[in-house]
Amino acid sequence: SGSGTTLKSAFDAINAGGGSGTVTVSINNNTTETATAALNNVAYKVNIVTTGTFTISGSLTAPIVSFAGADNVRLDGRIGGTSTTRSLSINNTNTGAGAQTIAFSGGAQNDTIRFVNINGFNPSTTAATAGVVFFGAGAAGPISNTGILLDNNAISNNGSTTNFPVWLIQSTSAT
């Protein structure tokens, strides 16, 4: 599990596979995502690391990366996990409402994103799902998205000199 030519294909393999322990996904190239890379709640820890300076990009009116109930995920944008340089970028170039870059939903818990450039654009001040980083509805019942750590990331626009996000981080009030 955990191999593919895009982050989505690696996540699809992880979602489909069984197993336990820890799965490591190594980002070895730039990728263009044509659909959301969604990681569901699986029975093991997932570490996502970069082996160089790479960008995961796409133009979606949905998140580029979604942690849909995924627990114990570690995404570290430092080469080797020890430097202080952000070597991984995740960029949603879409300028439509709802064009999130990273989303947490379905009761995602104990996830960490460290040292990543997170870029996007959302034009709406009223859209309910407009954050570059978005915390959506939790799982049914009392479990919401908890224990999420965003550490030493740079959250910004998607490279445009005229389009700037209205919301860098947004959370819904739904559980």
Side-chain angles (χ1 to χ4, degrees):
S1 294
S3 64
T5 57
T6 64
L7 189 59
K8 180 184 179 349
S9 62
F11 281 5
D12 287 350
I14 292 169
N15 290 333
S20 61
T22 302
V23 172
T24 299
V25 175
S26 295
I27 298 170
N28 299 314
N29 287 298
N30 296 321
T31 68
T32 300
E33 305 295 329
T34 58
T36 298
L39 185 62
N40 301 326
N41 189 0
V42 293
Y44 33 86
K45 293 181 180 182
V46 177
N47 290 327
I48 306 161
V49 298
T50 186
T51 62
T53 302
F54 299 117
T55 300
I56 298 168
S57 65
S59 179
L60 305 178
T61 55
I64 297 295
V65 178
S66 173
F67 298 107
D71 298 341
N72 303 308
V73 176
R74 304 289 181 262
L75 170 56
D76 196 328
R78 300 173 295 171
I79 299 170
T82 58
S83 74
T84 57
T85 302
R86 290 180 203 95
S87 296
L88 180 64
S89 296
I90 303 174
N91 189 14
N92 191 346
T93 60
N94 195 289
T95 59
Q100 307 145 1
T101 302
I102 296 177
F104 296 90
S105 65
Q109 296 183 40
N110 303 319
D111 297 332
T112 300
I113 299 178
R114 306 183 74 200
F115 290 89
V116 177
N117 296 308
I118 305 168
N119 307 308
F121 171 72
N122 43 54
S124 176
T125 60
T126 59
T129 59
V132 174
V133 176
F134 180 71
F135 292 86
I143 300 172
S144 61
N145 305 303
T146 59
I148 309 296
L149 175 63
L150 301 176
D151 177 33
N152 225 320
N153 300 294
I155 304 171
S156 188
N157 70 331
N158 60 14
S160 168
T161 58
T162 57
N163 295 330
F164 294 93
V166 173
W167 306 99
L168 294 176
I169 300 174
Q170 184 185 32
S171 178
T172 65
S173 60
T175 57

